[in-house]
Amino acid sequence: MRLIFAGTPEFAAQALRAIVAAGHQVPLVLTQPDRAAGRGMKLRPSPVKIVAQAIGSEVFQPASLKGETAQERIRQATAEAMVVAAYGLILPQAVLDVPTLGCINIHASLLPRWRGAAPIQRAILAGDAETGISIMQMDAGLDSGPILRSEAVTITDDDTAASLHDRLAALGARLVVETLARLPLDGQLQSADGVSYAKKIDKAEAILDWRQPAAQLARQVRAFDPFPGAICSIGGHVLKVWRARAVAGGVAGVPGVVLAADREGINVACSEGVLCILEVQKAGGRRLSVADFLAGAALAPGTECACLADC
């Protein structure tokens, strides 16, 4: 098929690679404008742009798709369908109507649960047992179109947003290729029941609030790895917490007080249970096991963790 592809991060880049490998033509690729990143704040292309340039596709990086100039560029590609994955711009109806077979979206949840920007993190935060990929025929709503194909994956107790992202990206790439081979398809309308929205992650959400149950804080740590990283203050050290687990039947204590600190972990009392911190990072440093961190930072039981949240 002759396709337009629209996407920005690695999740989308993996799908683009699979589509090209399956033999489809992709004359036009839409992606977000280059962004400043890194210590030097140099402009960096998106993962999708890097793939598009490697395969020889024309790259188009508009700030919006509402204008006639952008829409005409899309029309000139004369595509049978457009595949969209984590693109970052809203497609107006005029764009949705351009391809003969419409626009198809790869979404990282089992719709209608977790429509919106951060479905992977929200599924982990909510303690969902499973999530998946939905291949959807796009309409003017927010992730509300008919489902063409879906497949579930289990969320394990040690899944982070990074590990779950990688599994879903691979699944999305496979499912979109299988879906394209079967177009046109009749989609299944989404149920009005079970609709939930995955709002964009706010950095303020990453602060560990010891007044929450330990199980919730452990999910928070996993959901915010690799971005923005769960954060807390212990013994005067502001730390990012990269690995932690809720201790079953942990000894109760005053929320935010260190109960034990040794090479096995830093145990902090929560409103319910105990959070055992296993891997941390100081500002400007690298990730450290708790054993390595404590080798250079003494931490006694009874130490109070400063409340960074709005207490």
Side-chain angles (χ1 to χ4, degrees):
M1 297 177 66
R2 186 175 172 88
L3 305 171
I4 297 171
F5 187 89
T8 298
E10 179 56 34
F11 179 90
Q14 191 156 337
L16 178 56
R17 292 188 197 100
I19 287 169
V20 172
H24 297 287
Q25 301 175 53
V26 187
L28 181 64
V29 171
L30 279 62
T31 191
Q32 288 281 298
D34 297 358
R35 305 292 188 198
R39 292 184 177 180
M41 294 303 288
K42 294 181 180 179
L43 289 178
R44 291 186 181 177
S46 72
V48 164
K49 181 176 180 178
I50 293 170
V51 174
Q53 290 175 328
I55 63 177
S57 296
E58 178 187 353
V59 176
F60 184 35
Q61 298 176 273
S64 169
L65 296 177
K66 295 179 180 179
E68 176 59 29
T69 301
Q71 293 173 15
E72 178 59 25
R73 187 96 168 258
I74 292 169
R75 284 193 290 268
Q76 289 175 356
T78 61
E80 296 168 79
M82 179 188 292
V83 176
V84 181
Y87 176 35
L89 288 182
I90 294 174
L91 272 61
Q93 191 64 51
V95 172
L96 294 173
D97 292 340
V98 170
T100 310
L101 297 173
C103 299
I104 298 163
N105 180 248
I106 310 169
H107 187 75
S109 80
L110 297 175
L111 294 169
R113 186 161 178 78
W114 302 129
R115 295 175 178 174
I120 295 174
Q121 294 93 332
R122 297 298 171 194
I124 294 175
L125 282 171
D128 290 359
E130 66 176 14
T131 186
I133 288 290
S134 298
I135 307 295
M136 174 191 65
Q137 189 81 46
M138 296 179 70
D139 62 14
L142 176 63
D143 298 327
S144 57
I147 304 300
L148 303 177
R149 186 84 186 273
S150 67
E151 190 171 314
V153 299
T154 298
I155 300 176
T156 67
D157 290 340
D158 58 356
D159 260 326
T160 64
S163 65
L164 189 54
H165 165 279
D166 291 350
R167 287 195 287 137
L168 290 174
L171 176 59
R174 174 172 64 81
L175 288 185
V176 75
V177 168
E178 293 175 0
T179 303
L180 289 170
R182 297 181 176 126
L183 290 180
L185 287 170
D186 292 327
Q188 181 177 352
L189 295 178
Q190 293 188 34
S191 171
D193 298 326
V195 175
S196 61
Y197 291 93
K199 67 178 181 178
K200 186 177 179 180
I201 297 300
D202 188 319
K203 286 186 178 181
E205 295 180 75
I207 297 172
L208 296 178
D209 183 349
W210 306 110
R211 298 167 297 183
Q212 298 296 316
Q216 176 61 38
L217 296 184
R219 291 197 294 268
Q220 198 172 335
V221 171
R222 294 190 293 117
F224 297 144
D225 181 357
F227 177 84
I231 189 170
C232 69
S233 177
I234 301 178
H237 301 282
V238 176
L239 303 172
K240 284 197 173 183
V241 179
W242 295 114
R243 282 198 305 124
R245 59 183 174 85
V247 179
V251 177
V254 177
V257 171
V258 174
L259 302 176
D262 54 38
R263 63 181 303 105
E264 301 301 320
I266 301 170
N267 286 357
V268 182
C270 305
S271 66
E272 296 177 17
V274 173
L275 186 72
C276 181
I277 298 172
L278 303 169
E279 185 179 24
V280 298
Q281 181 180 15
K282 292 191 289 187
R286 58 185 178 86
R287 294 189 184 195
L288 297 172
S289 68
V290 160
D292 288 340
F293 169 72
L294 292 176
L299 194 61
T303 300
E304 294 186 6
C305 303
C307 187
L308 297 176
D310 186 15
C311 298

